[in-house]
Every structure is written in structure tokens, then in C-alpha cells.
Amino acid sequence: MTSTATRRRGRMARNWLMFAALAGPNILLLIAFTYKPLLQSFYYSTLQWNIGSSRAISVGLRNYTDWLTDSQTPHVVGVTVVFTLATVGGGMVLGLSLAVLLNRRLKLIGPARTIVVAPYVLSGVAVGLLWLFVFDPNFGIVAAVLGFVGLPSPAWYNDPQWALVMVIIVQLWKNVGYIALIYLAGLQAIPKDLLEAASLDGAGPVRTFRRVILPLLGPTTFFLSVTTLLSSLQSFDIIQAMTKGGPLEGTTTMMYEIYREGFVAGRAGYSSAVATILFVVLLIVTLVQMRFVERKVHYA
Amino acid sequence: MNPRSTVFSSTLTRRNLLTLSAALGGTALLAACAGPSVGDAGQAAASTAPAQDWTGIKPASSITWWTNHPGASMATEQAMINGFQAANPGITVNMVTAGANYDEIAQKFQAAAGTDSVPDLVGASDVWWFRYMINQQIIPLDGLASHLNANTADFNTTLYDDYKYADSHWAMPYARSTPLFYYNKTLWSAAGLPDRAPATWDEFDQWAPKLSAVMNGAAPLGIGKGTSWAAWWFCNIMWGKGGAYSSDWSMKLDQPETLEAGNYLRRIINDDKSAAVSATDSTADFGAGLSACTVASTGSLTGILASAKFEVGTGFLPAGPKGAFTPTGGTGMAIASSKSPEQQLAAGMFLKYLTDAEQTATFSAATGYMPVRTSAMDGATMTAIYAKKPQFRTAVDQLKNARSQDWARSFVPSGDKYLTTALEQIMLQNSKAEDVFPKASADISTSYDQNVKPYL
């Protein structure tokens, strides 16, 4: 009995050692580069601190009240919501459509899949610089095409609304390949016998898609809705490369405001307060998705 | 297998909660160990450090220099380093490309504070050096310059005093610029205009219809928007009308002359159509022939001369009823306070070399930035350049109209952003100055109260 208990304890100790050896480095890295900065950010949000300075002033919740009462805040929140809904919603619809196309047995489907996914692996800054030329109202391809049919180029860079449309288009172009790729994997995981059964029951392509394929893609859609929502809310590189939040702050999202206040204005405390608010928003949105949306997901 | 458990596990047990609490508690302790020292408003003000006695200090053998190579000057800067190292064999200069522009350099310098990555010598632009100073990241240079016999009296006074605060200079001028009026001589000739820039904005108003007539109705003047730019060149129009963003720390955006300047800008774009806001780059648009004239930095001179397919004319910025004024811009170089006196001394020696008469002329000839020393402006190197490219002379001659920038833009965090937003509303949305300047004024005042005043 005693030797059995000793062996069990020894096994437990070995398991713990193995756990510490395998998970320890990851946990330490997470603490150092995720949780510690996260908590530091909470702390800094209570300071009036010029980044770079070794001195700061404790101001309690003033940074939060300043942001909440700033007349620009509703505009920034509005831009964030429009940008996020357009890139997530538009991305899901376009991505699913592309995935359906790419799931067909067509000639050159391999290269087509590569072409669709390729923009996702490009650097956001490179993509932004590339599209900067595409949308140039004097020399860009878009202006040339519109001019060919007798239309003027929109003021992509001087009109806040068009500027927002422009960065949404570029964000969609960059990320739709990723969404299509995940949806394609989801489509290919659907059992063929289910589709054959639906066909035998007389369901046409549209009905099969609505009643069989879409529900079975539920887990994929749920996964994509969470991940693309989080990445859209944190999008930064394309906006920085193309518009720097302008014109007239027409493309300033909360994420961009965090960067601009922290590193351009040097207001580290204020920037941390906005970052904390965005963190809370992301947490709530994710929890709501998990609590309410996931219930409606059908797992095969 | 249940995919739910593999994708997002939402099970919250007592054990999980305790583990999470322990992890957060541990990291909270770690978090509290870092960051700035925290006090109340009265304790944040800068303390006066005793002046460094440089006697007996030996220069370090190696220093690091952060630059963005203004005016595509990387090769020129490397050549200057080679020259310095040849003259000072015991000191090695490590040049680091620390950003694509002044803002990126400044962001990195501020983010590096408190780490081992701080450079010895760093770019300090017109809108950043003051923040370095109130953050206590740089040292005053007067004592060091005196120790090194750097002959600061030879610097152009305006360019040197741009870095003066509290009777000390916190940087030395390096790649300094002013806006210039660039014009397309071909279009000028077609419009029957004299081969010169308009002397006043009134004269520009008279010339604009003639230029527009030979441009198929297009606006002749191309101007730029965006932060770090619009609120800079607008100083010329504003000061010319007697306005200002501020006088020291007092806001002046509500005075009639400033409002008049804002409304003049609104009129030439939205009513007269004699000016248009470029989509991305007004300098590139001018070089491509899209506009007949533009206001661009002297630092763009070499690039414009290289890219334009027409003959380029340069002139002073037009004057207003109260006179001709031009803001100064560009970057100086500052020495980090966190480095040892030996490092600072070596950095000072290199800075003295970088800004001596010969090097500033060489740098100016290569880039179009202005020579920062009076003796260099009429030296042999610059005289040869003027003979070859007379446009270079304009910037130097225009220095007599130079005026240091208003503190509201250059010293207050986000000051430039608030002013740019107001100016973009005027330019792009046809807003009246009376409707947009008050908010900019209030925002800048708040930023001053929160981000500057407690640290002075």
C-alpha cells in the first residue's frame, strides 16, 4: 500500500516536472509579454505620463473621463464600428462566396486558390503602399478605369467618407483570402453523404446551401466571426500606411487613436486608458459571442 | 470529439479562477515594479541638475547616432562619419537608421527611454526637442559647446535659438529647412507672368486666373494637408496677416488677424479655386506638372529639381500686409541625458564636426537643406552650388524672413494635430475659421495644462 502511494506520488512529481518543463517557458513568455504589459497598461491609464519621461502624475480616472467626454470620441467610435462591421461582415460574405467557387473542380483551381490567399500573407504596410498608388486620383488604376467610363475619381484622400471606404476595401482585399481558406476547409469537411441525401430528397443547390451547408459551416462561421472581429478592431497597419487616420480623422479607429495618442502625442496615460477601454470592449464582445452566438452553432 | 471544447472552453471552475487570480496577482506585482516615478503635480517639475564639468573627461571610444538621413543623405552622412573618424581615430560612430522621418525617430527615442538602447546623439526636430527637454531626456549644450570651442556665435541666430528654452540651447541645428515657393517656369511663361514668385498673396490672387486659364481651369497652387505639414506652411499666411497660433503660452487663435488668415485659406480653395489640396503629396504633384506652383520644404529642392520635366523657379513665400515671414523647420541634433559624460563628450565632438562650416555646406549641397552657419552660407562650397543651381540661393536669402514657430504648435503635445484638424476643416469642408479655431484653441490649452505645465 505504502509503495503504491509512493509510486503514485513519484508519478505525480514526474508529471508535474514534465508539465513545468513543457508549459513553463510558454507561461513565462505569456506573463512577460502579454499579462504584465496588460496590467501595466491598466496602471498607466491612471497616470498623466508623457512617454519617455521618468516622471508621472497620478490622476485617477481622469484619462477615462477625458476620453468619454471628448467631442471627438463619438466620431472615433463611429469610425471603429463602421470599419469593423464592414470588414467583418463584408469579409465573411466575400470569403464564403470565394470558398464556394474555389471548392469546385475547375481547371487551374490550385493557382486560383493561391492567388486568393496570397494577399493575406503580405505585410499590411506593403499592401497599404501598393493601394496608395491604385487609388491615386491622378495616376491610379481606379481613376483610369473610372475615367474610361466617363466618371470622376472619388476624393479618396480628401473626403473622410471616401477615405474610410478606401481603407475598408483594402482591408477586405488583404484578409478575404484567409476567410476563404478557412471556409474552404469547412466546406471540404462536410460529409458528401449529407449532400447526396439532400439531393435525393429533392433539394436544389440554393436550398442545399441554406439548409445543409450553411448550418454545417456554423462552427467555422463562429470561429471566423470571433477572430476577424478581433483582428478588425485591432487593425492598424493599412490605416497608418495609407491615411494616417485622416483626412479629418475620417479613418481614425480606436486602435489608431491608441497609437497616435501614445506615440505621436506622447500621452502614454491617456493612450493606455483608450487601450483599456478597447480591451474591455473586445472582452465583452467575445464573451457575448461565446455566450449567445455559439448556442446557435450546430456541431456535426 | 466535441469541437466546442477544443476551440473555446468557457468552463469556469474554482480551480481555474484561483489559477487565473494567482497569475494576475503575480504579474500585477511585476507590473508595479516598472514605469515612471509617480508624484503629484508639484513634484513633476524638472529639477535643475548641476552643470557638468567637462574638464578631465575623456571621450568614449564608440557612440551611436540615430538619424533618418534627411533629404536622402545616407551616403553623405556616412562620408561625414568617415571624415570624423579619420580626424578622431579613437572614436567610432555607429550610424543607425532609426526611422523614415523625424516623427519615427522621436517615437523610437521616447520608447527607448530607460533602456540600454538609447543613442548618444539623436535627431530632434522642431516639434520634438521640447518634449525631449521636459522629459529630461537630453542635456543643455551650452557648456559642452563652450568646452569644445564650437563657435556657436557663427550659427544663424534664428536656427540656433529655435532650440533655446530657459536660457539654454538643447540641440544644435543640423538639417534645417524653410518652406519655399516653387513654380513651373513653363506655365508661368505661358500665362505671361514675370519670372519670379508672387511678392505678396494679393499678387498671387491677381496671377491665379491667368495661370488657371493656361491649365484648362485647374487650380494653379497645389498645397498639402496632414499633420507635421499643413500647420507649418500656414504660418506664412497667418504671420503675414499679423496673426499667430500663440504668443508664448497664450493662445491667439481667436484674434481677428488669425481668423482672417484662416478665412483667406478657405477662400482661395473653396471660392476662388486658385488653390487645391493635393491627394497625397503636393510636391510630387508639382513635379508631375499637375500644379503650376506649390509651397514645399527646401529639403525637397534636390528631389524636385531631379524629378521635374520643366524648369523650376524658386522664390520667397509671398508676403502679407504685415510683412514676409517664413517658419523654420527640419531637425537639429541632441545629446541623450542618460549617457555617461564620456559618451556625451564624444557625441558632442561628433556634433561639433557635423555642424561645422565645411560639413554643413557639404550637407546642404547634397540635400537642399540650409547651411546652418553664417560663414558657410557664403563659403566656397555654397558659392559653387549657387552658380550651378541658383535655386539653392533662395532658401538662404529667405532666412532673413525666418521666424521661430509659435509654441502652441511646436511645444504642446497634439498641438500640431489640433491645428491640422482645424485647417483641414477649412480646406476640405469649407468651414469658417470662426467655427473651427475655438475648439483647436481649447484643446491645445487643455493639452498644455495637462502635458506641459506640470513639467516646467
Side-chain angles (χ1 to χ4, degrees):
Chain A
M1 189 70 185
T2 310
S3 62
T4 308
T6 307
R7 278 201 301 274
R8 192 182 300 144
R9 276 200 297 276
R11 197 165 56 240
M12 284 280 285
R14 280 197 301 277
N15 286 343
W16 271 107
L17 273 175
M18 182 64 77
F19 169 77
L22 294 175
N26 285 333
I27 291 172
L28 285 176
L29 288 172
L30 273 173
I31 288 173
F33 295 109
T34 302
Y35 298 120
K36 180 174 179 280
L38 182 71
L39 292 171
Q40 273 184 310
S41 180
F42 294 162
Y43 169 60
Y44 294 155
S45 72
T46 64
L47 304 177
Q48 197 296 307
W49 177 33
N50 292 345
I51 194 167
S53 174
S54 58
R55 303 157 295 152
I57 301 163
S58 181
V59 293
L61 297 177
R62 192 189 74 189
N63 289 321
Y64 293 92
T65 55
D66 281 356
W67 187 78
L68 291 169
T69 55
D70 190 317
S71 60
Q72 274 300 107
T73 296
H75 171 77
V76 171
V77 171
V79 169
T80 308
V81 169
V82 170
F83 179 82
T84 304
L85 289 180
T87 51
V88 173
M92 303 282 272
V93 171
L94 284 173
L96 180 56
S97 306
L98 280 171
V100 169
L101 281 175
L102 295 175
N103 197 32
R104 290 167 181 254
R105 288 182 182 167
L106 300 171
K107 278 186 177 176
L108 299 174
I109 197 68
R113 288 174 180 168
T114 307
I115 289 168
V116 167
V117 176
Y120 180 68
V121 300
L122 295 176
S123 141
V125 174
V127 167
L129 291 175
L130 171 75
W131 283 84
L132 205 61
F133 294 108
V134 172
F135 280 108
D136 189 294
N138 297 309
F139 310 109
I141 297 167
V142 174
V145 171
L146 290 172
F148 187 72
V149 295
L151 293 173
S153 171
W156 300 109
Y157 296 99
N158 285 351
D159 183 309
Q161 278 83 36
W162 280 115
L164 184 56
V165 170
M166 177 177 71
V167 294
I168 286 170
I169 290 171
V170 179
Q171 179 83 6
L172 279 172
W173 182 82
K174 184 180 184 311
N175 291 326
V176 77
Y178 162 76
I179 298 171
L181 185 71
I182 303 295
Y183 264 131
L184 184 61
L187 284 170
Q188 293 184 343
I190 293 174
K192 295 283 182 290
D193 51 353
L194 282 177
L195 301 176
E196 285 167 8
S199 179
L200 287 173
D201 287 344
V206 175
R207 192 165 186 159
T208 303
F209 183 77
R210 281 185 53 218
R211 301 285 182 173
V212 180
I213 295 176
L214 264 186
L216 289 173
L217 285 175
T220 308
T221 303
F222 176 65
F223 168 76
L224 283 172
S225 71
V226 173
T227 54
T228 57
L229 186 79
L230 293 180
S231 70
S232 282
L233 277 167
Q234 296 176 71
S235 180
F236 169 79
D237 44 11
I238 287 170
I239 292 173
Q240 170 70 359
M242 295 192 76
T243 62
K244 293 187 168 51
L248 288 164
E249 308 201 40
T251 54
T252 299
T253 58
M254 285 178 72
M255 190 68 203
Y256 196 80
E257 188 179 30
I258 291 167
Y259 157 75
R260 193 184 58 194
E261 290 298 329
F263 292 98
V264 181
R267 302 165 70 192
Y270 185 87
S271 172
S272 296
V274 185
T276 302
I277 291 167
L278 181 62
F279 170 76
V280 171
V281 169
L282 289 172
L283 194 65
I284 291 171
V285 168
T286 308
L287 288 174
V288 165
Q289 282 182 309
M290 292 174 69
R291 179 78 177 81
F292 296 105
V293 182
E294 196 186 14
R295 277 184 180 179
K296 298 180 181 176
V297 171
H298 301 275
Y299 292 101
Chain B
M1 187 171 66
N2 180 4
R4 177 182 174 137
S5 64
T6 59
V7 180
F8 294 114
S9 174
S10 57
T11 314
L12 186 63
T13 64
R14 184 168 163 271
R15 179 172 291 183
N16 287 344
L17 188 63
L18 286 171
T19 308
L20 184 67
S21 303
L24 289 176
T27 46
L29 280 174
L30 282 170
C33 295
S37 61
V38 179
D40 59 28
Q43 294 169 321
S47 56
T48 308
Q52 174 69 45
D53 179 8
W54 298 102
T55 316
I57 305 273
K58 301 285 183 202
S61 58
S62 175
I63 57 168
T64 303
W65 177 30
W66 279 13
T67 173
N68 65 309
H69 319 300
S73 59
M74 190 171 185
T76 306
E77 290 183 331
Q78 186 58 57
M80 292 196 292
I81 288 173
N82 295 342
F84 173 75
Q85 290 179 160
N88 299 273
I91 304 175
T92 304
V93 179
N94 304 304
M95 179 169 67
V96 176
T97 305
N101 52 50
Y102 306 140
D103 290 350
E104 288 186 10
I105 291 258
Q107 288 159 21
K108 283 193 179 71
F109 184 57
Q110 297 197 103
T115 72
D116 294 335
S117 303
V118 174
D120 301 288
L121 189 66
V122 64
S125 82
D126 55 336
V127 296
W128 282 104
W129 73 265
F130 186 80
R131 271 186 263 178
Y132 295 172
M133 186 205 75
I134 61 173
N135 288 346
Q136 297 182 323
Q137 290 179 278
I138 55 177
I139 60 170
L141 298 178
D142 304 80
L144 182 56
S146 173
H147 175 72
L148 294 171
N149 296 317
N151 190 18
T152 54
D154 186 37
F155 281 131
N156 173 277
T157 308
T158 305
L159 298 182
Y160 187 43
D161 285 352
D162 275 344
Y163 306 106
K164 188 177 181 183
Y165 189 83
D167 293 327
S168 294
H169 292 85
W170 298 83
M172 285 189 187
Y174 173 60
R176 299 305 309 277
S177 58
T178 63
L180 281 184
F181 192 92
Y182 292 82
Y183 62 97
N184 180 330
K185 290 194 174 190
T186 307
L187 289 172
W188 237 243
S189 173
L193 298 174
D195 184 12
R196 62 173 175 82
T200 64
W201 284 106
D202 285 343
E203 189 169 47
F204 169 76
D205 291 340
Q206 292 161 19
W207 289 4
K210 295 175 187 173
L211 286 163
S212 193
V214 297
M215 297 173 66
N216 296 320
L221 176 64
I223 50 179
K225 62 180 187 306
T227 50
S228 296
W229 182 240
W232 185 54
W233 59 255
F234 179 69
C235 291
N236 158 257
I237 295 177
M238 179 177 65
W239 291 338
K241 289 188 179 295
Y245 295 132
S246 64
S247 171
D248 290 353
W249 299 118
S250 300
M251 294 305 298
K252 297 290 179 188
L253 280 169
D254 59 347
Q255 70 181 37
E257 294 84 355
T258 313
L259 296 172
E260 186 190 344
N263 288 326
Y264 173 75
L265 181 64
R266 189 198 61 73
R267 176 168 66 77
I268 60 173
I269 294 169
N270 294 289
D271 295 345
D272 300 350
K273 310 288 185 193
S274 55
V277 184
S278 293
T280 53
D281 186 343
S282 54
T283 306
D285 286 356
F286 172 73
L290 290 177
S291 57
C293 50
T294 193
V295 174
S297 167
T298 52
S300 303
L301 179 57
T302 303
I304 287 177
L305 292 177
S307 67
K309 302 281 186 266
F310 48 85
E311 197 177 351
V312 177
T314 54
F316 291 2
L317 294 183
K322 302 291 183 189
F325 299 98
T326 182
T328 57
T331 191
M333 287 292 156
I335 295 176
S337 60
S338 60
K339 310 300 279 196
S340 69
E342 290 78 10
Q343 299 287 124
Q344 292 171 340
L345 179 60
M349 292 168 66
F350 180 55
L351 180 54
K352 178 191 171 190
Y353 180 85
L354 270 185
T355 57
D356 73 18
E358 187 181 338
Q359 305 312 316
T360 191
T362 302
F363 186 80
S364 177
T367 61
Y369 282 95
M370 294 183 296
V372 297
R373 285 186 177 273
T374 309
S375 60
M377 289 175 183
D378 291 308
T381 304
M382 290 311 297
T383 302
I385 289 292
Y386 302 147
K388 198 173 170 185
K389 294 178 180 174
Q391 296 96 332
F392 272 76
R393 180 86 222 183
T394 313
V396 174
D397 290 344
Q398 193 184 221
L399 266 176
K400 69 177 191 291
N401 298 336
R403 172 170 154 176
S404 291
Q405 291 188 59
D406 299 335
W407 294 3
R409 174 178 182 262
S410 53
F411 290 175
V412 180
S414 295
D416 180 64
K417 185 198 85 171
Y418 295 133
L419 292 166
T420 300
T421 299
L423 291 171
E424 287 188 349
Q425 285 176 301
I426 287 171
M427 293 191 288
L428 302 176
Q429 295 187 323
N430 199 15
S431 299
K432 290 179 181 171
E434 292 84 348
D435 296 335
V436 295
F437 279 174
K439 174 167 168 44
S441 183
D443 287 340
I444 292 170
S445 296
T446 302
S447 182
Y448 166 72
D449 288 338
Q450 293 183 356
N451 305 304
V452 178
K453 197 175 174 184
Y455 297 93
L456 292 176

